[in-house]
């Protein structure tokens, strides 16, 4: 049981380049999330997917797109990277967002630098 | 003002000391989470609370719903407890999302 996996772990991009961050979970969770973490700020929600086939904007969606490819996978795409997107990105999943027992499981993070 | 505030922002302690980290929130919640982020960056869930108190090993988490306040206590602290501790709440208005505090950085010295 790998939990939540993310690739890549590190990435350096030039301004204007595109890339996709991959996330997968093997816990049969329904809801998946993408967060960014910046120094001095709490984790901020970029996009989430409450169930397979649905996606919704979070707090900071501008400059990003997402795809919930199937129940296991939720990818985050930067179409034209900007230095302001330099951050650590975390993917997370939860079995049932409406349940009292809704512990979130986090991936190991992707450290992205945009030059 | 952030909806979730933690104090202190930074905390240093000697091994063996009793540690308290506080979290106050301003929204109605269905649950509160305490998370731990180690220097390597990974985030793990420590507790999820909706009332009362929970204990796991040397860690104790309490919540007072009326006062909108939670505390995380570490008894007999150890250098391996050095990490960032993050409080997050699940709002009653939108149970899809967690609202995170900015974290408390704890360093425990031998």
């Amino acid at each position: 049981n790998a939990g939540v996996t993310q690739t890549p772990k590190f990435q350096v991009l030039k301004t204007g380049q595109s890339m996709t961050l991959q996330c997968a979970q093997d816990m049969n969770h329904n809801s998946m999330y993408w967060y960014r973490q910046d120094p001095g700020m709490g984790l901020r929600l970029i996009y989430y997917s409450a169930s397979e086939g649905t996606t919704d904007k979070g707090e900071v969606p501008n400059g990003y797109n997402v795809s919930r490819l199937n129940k296991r996978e939720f990818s985050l795409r930067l179409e034209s990277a900007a230095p302001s997107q330099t951050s650590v990105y975390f993917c997370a999943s939860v079995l049932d967002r409406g349940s009292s027992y809704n512990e979130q499981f986090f991936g190991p993070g992707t450290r992205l630098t945009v030059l | 003002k952030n909806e979730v505030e933690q104090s202190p922002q930074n905390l240093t302690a000697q091994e063996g000391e009793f540690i308290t980290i506080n979290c106050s929130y301003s929204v109605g919640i269905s649950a509160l989470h305490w998370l731990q982020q180690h220097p390597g960056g990974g985030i793990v869930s420590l507790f999820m609370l909706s009332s009362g108190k929970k204990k796991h090993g040397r860690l104790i988490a309490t919540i007072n719903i009326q006062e909108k306040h939670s505390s995380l206590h570490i008894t007999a602290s150890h250098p391996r407890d050095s990490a960032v501790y993050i409080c997050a709440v699940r709002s009653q208005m939108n149970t899809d999302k967690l609202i995170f505090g900015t974290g408390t950085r704890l360093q425990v010295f031998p």
Side-chain angles (χ1 to χ4, degrees), chain B residues 3-94:
Chain B
E3 291 168 301
V4 180
E5 299 272 1
Q6 289 185 235
S7 63
Q9 286 188 323
N10 294 284
L11 185 55
T12 58
Q14 288 296 122
E15 184 173 356
E17 284 185 7
F18 182 84
I19 305 290
T20 295
I21 299 170
N22 296 299
C23 175
S24 296
Y25 52 91
S26 58
V27 296
I29 68 169
S30 60
L32 182 143
H33 297 247
W34 281 103
L35 308 166
Q36 181 190 57
Q37 185 171 26
H38 271 286
I43 300 173
V44 296
S45 179
L46 297 175
F47 294 104
M48 190 185 65
L49 296 166
S50 54
S51 65
K53 177 179 171 178
K54 285 191 176 179
K55 184 175 190 288
H56 185 259
R58 295 179 295 106
L59 301 178
I60 303 166
T62 64
I63 188 167
N64 185 318
I65 296 293
Q66 286 73 30
E67 294 187 4
K68 295 186 173 176
H69 182 268
S70 176
S71 293
L72 176 68
H73 306 286
I74 305 175
T75 62
S77 59
H78 190 277
R80 65 175 175 267
D81 297 325
S82 298
V84 175
Y85 292 85
I86 301 169
C87 173
V89 302
R90 190 171 295 279
S91 166
Q92 283 178 332
M93 298 299 293
N94 187 339

Side-chain angles (χ1 to χ4, degrees), chain A residues 8-98:
Chain A
K9 285 191 166 51
F10 300 94
Q11 183 72 49
V12 179
L13 293 177
K14 294 181 180 177
T15 296
Q17 287 186 314
S18 62
M19 79 161 294
T20 300
L21 281 65
Q22 306 285 356
C23 174
Q25 51 87 14
D26 61 1
M27 297 173 282
N28 203 34
H29 284 177
N30 292 313
S31 298
M32 297 183 73
Y33 304 80
W34 276 106
Y35 297 98
R36 60 179 288 173
Q37 186 178 42
D38 301 294
M41 305 185 76
L43 285 152
R44 292 185 292 168
L45 182 64
I46 305 170
Y47 270 94
Y48 69 102
S49 170
S51 61
E52 185 180 353
T54 68
T55 61
D56 285 286
K57 294 179 181 179
E59 188 182 350
V60 288
N62 291 345
Y64 305 96
N65 284 301
V66 289
S67 295
R68 184 74 182 267
L69 304 168
N70 47 55
K71 193 169 187 180
R72 289 188 66 247
E73 298 171 292
F74 188 39
S75 62
L76 178 73
R77 182 157 178 85
L78 286 70
E79 289 291 351
S80 179
S84 60
Q85 294 177 304
T86 293
S87 188
V88 182
Y89 291 84
F90 287 96
C91 178
S93 71
V94 65
L95 176 60
D96 178 0
R97 71 194 190 280

